[in-house]
Amino acid sequence: MPLEFAFELMMMLTSGCALLVSAWLFWRARRQRSMKALAGFGVMMALWCAGHVAVFYGWHTTGMALILANPLMPTFFLDFAIGFVNQGPARRSWLSRLARFRALLYVTAVLVSLGTLWLGGGSIIAFGPFEHYFVFRGSGWFNIGYTIFIGVLAHALLLWGFMRQQGNRRRSIAAMFAAGAWGLLLATSFIFPSLGLLWYPWPMLLLPSYVLLLVYGVVRYQMLEVNAWANRALLWILMTALLLGLMALFSAMAGQLGMQALAAVPQWQLWLYSVLLLMLALALYRPVSALVERLIYPGSRLDEQLLDTWLAQLRDTDSWHSLAREAEQLLARQMGQPVTVRLLTTAPRFEPGPGLELWCLHHKQDWQFRLKGFDDVTPGMRLTAEVFGSLLATRCGLLERSLQLAEAERKRVSEQHLVELGGLSAAMAHELRNPLNIISMATAGLEAERKAMIQDQLKRADRLIVDMLAYSGQLHIQPRAVPLLPLLHSLRPQFNWQDVQLELTLPENYQVFADPYRLQQVLTNLLDNALSFVRNQADGRIVLAAGTSAGELWLHNNGPAIPPDMQARLFRPFVSHRPGGSGLGLAIVQRIMEAHGGHIEYRNNAGWPVSFMLYFPEEPAS
């Protein structure tokens, strides 16, 4: 093979490889700017090699323009290095600022290329086997110097990233350095004729390997399919080398074995036939493998992307119901027919239905799956169900542990809250009951009517203490239909209204389904809380009104609005906006409402500065 033709063939092969790899990179990593820049590097290398081919065919102007555009190659690589390094722990603000000047780097590279082309930065000479070969002249040395400078800057940035990155990205940078050293060794021989050393550029014949090694070094730790492709490529290369060696050995021994006709066949023809046979086997491997898979496992189409999709969809579920529903949809979509999924924590006591069923059973400390009704399906569909069942069983175990941790944390927080509240309640009860006992003894000499009034209030105070103690435990209610107006009229004398106006806009027969004693406690706490804010206002008003729905009650007052930062924690214990308040009043009200199966809400959009909406269900809480 003529040496000039060998060089031309390698340039064309490098150009084709670079274009194919760049197209694949751009398609596979279209959302990663750094990979797009690497694809641009491959395109520029393809154009650079095409420039040499153009020179060989006498298209000197076009070829020189493409070769002198080589500053764009390291510029694309520098763009890639900036984006590749500026991630994770190595992310720096100065790299982000440098990234904003990408356009300036490209403009500079274009200006250097056009300037050296206009100033005649190269010429075409003939030496050795080459009739047309490009060499640098004059301003062309500035072109190659700028190219080397940008390349060194890009690799220095990668070196900086290597010292700060970890894991796969650090390994990728190390692989890039190895590929860069190989590329520098190959490209050095291209410069020799420009220096007057008319040597044949033997290393340039291996240039196609540089593109593949560089890209593989970058993405091998990022994309799994690249490693699979490299594994297949290495396998076929080794098989080709082994086959060529066996053919050479067989050709040498054919004469001794009595096969004179075979021994007379030129060795290169045997090699050519062997390579053609191997290429044919490579071309038929995929369709034959797919045909065999369809014959053995008809209907089975399992691949890595499908498994990743299944894992992602199952991982997004956060309850047993949603996990079973999602599993049914995924498996039915893959198999083309309905499949029932059952998640069972105990052994089932029922027989499977007529359709296809996948059971996930909790057995001792593990989850296992069983297939029901899959005896008559194809082997491919059964394989699909088995793979999916294994993934589902694993997800069941993870979800079980996640729910157990969440429940344990909820119980821990609840128990800690009750312990703290119980301790505070006990301390307050002790401090309050001592003065109440003294007041009770002091009423011994009073007249009967006044003594009875004081004793009633002492009993009420004692009930409030009991309720405060009960807040840390469980509330027991006995709901029934309670007329609201008579209860409110009985509560009115207990408060010091001063000039506050109480308006009851309730129907005469309005009633709620509640525990009378707990309902009295709710209304007492709310009215007392409202009075503490509106009692000193000249136009203080408190309004109790029926809502639009049954069991709905509104309490409005025109006191000062509650600050926004306190609204979100208004019903938490020990939070008080009231001077001298304990911070338990609204918290107790909320607990009583929830014990009834209802709720209380603070509203600031009802036309009043402060509004509370209470809802009592029509049926008793279960």
Side-chain angles (χ1 to χ4, degrees), residues 599-613:
H599 60 269
I600 179 172
E601 299 176 5
Y602 167 75
R603 298 287 184 84
N604 57 5
N605 58 353
W608 289 77
V610 179
S611 297
F612 289 94
M613 191 276 287

Side-chain angles (χ1 to χ4, degrees), residues 521-530 555 586 589 600 612 614:
Q521 189 175 355
V522 166
L523 294 174
T524 300
N525 282 350
L526 290 176
L527 289 173
D528 185 60
N529 190 67
L555 188 145
L586 291 179
V589 169
I600 179 172
F612 289 94
L614 296 87

Side-chain angles (χ1 to χ4, degrees), residues 331-465:
L331 193 53
R333 188 183 308 127
Q334 181 66 20
M335 303 190 66
Q337 56 181 303
V339 181
T340 301
V341 174
R342 303 182 187 274
L343 308 180
L344 308 171
T345 56
T346 58
R349 297 182 179 179
F350 51 84
E351 293 298 326
L356 302 180
E357 294 186 3
L358 170 61
W359 293 1
C360 267
L361 308 174
H362 187 268
H363 181 68
K364 296 182 179 179
Q365 301 297 326
D366 200 4
W367 284 81
Q368 301 175 354
F369 73 91
R370 297 179 187 174
L371 300 179
K372 304 295 182 180
F374 281 81
D375 297 334
D376 297 329
V377 302
T378 62
M381 295 178 65
R382 185 176 182 88
L383 174 65
T384 300
E386 289 175 349
V387 173
F388 186 86
S390 178
L391 295 178
L392 182 60
T394 302
R395 177 54 188 159
C396 286
L398 295 175
L399 180 60
E400 180 186 26
R401 286 190 286 273
S402 176
L403 294 177
Q404 288 175 349
L405 290 174
E407 179 64 17
E409 178 64 16
R410 188 193 65 80
K411 288 183 177 180
R412 186 192 68 81
V413 173
S414 178
E415 290 173 358
Q416 181 181 1
H417 166 75
L418 291 177
V419 168
E420 293 174 353
L421 183 59
L424 177 64
S425 300
M428 293 184 64
H430 175 74
E431 295 297 328
L432 289 174
R433 276 179 170 151
N434 285 335
L436 291 178
N437 289 333
I438 295 174
I439 294 174
S440 178
M441 289 186 294
T443 62
L446 296 178
E447 55 189 58
E449 182 179 357
R450 184 169 297 180
K451 180 179 179 180
M453 183 179 64
I454 294 177
Q455 289 295 332
D456 288 342
Q457 295 302 314
L458 289 174
K459 291 179 182 178
R460 176 174 173 270
D462 187 67
R463 288 196 194 101
L464 292 176
I465 294 174

Side-chain angles (χ1 to χ4, degrees), residues 251-274:
S251 176
M253 299 179 60
Q256 301 177 8
L257 296 175
M259 294 179 285
Q260 302 299 331
L262 184 60
V265 178
Q267 194 174 62
W268 70 269
Q269 289 187 9
L270 289 176
W271 283 354
L272 179 61
Y273 297 151
S274 301

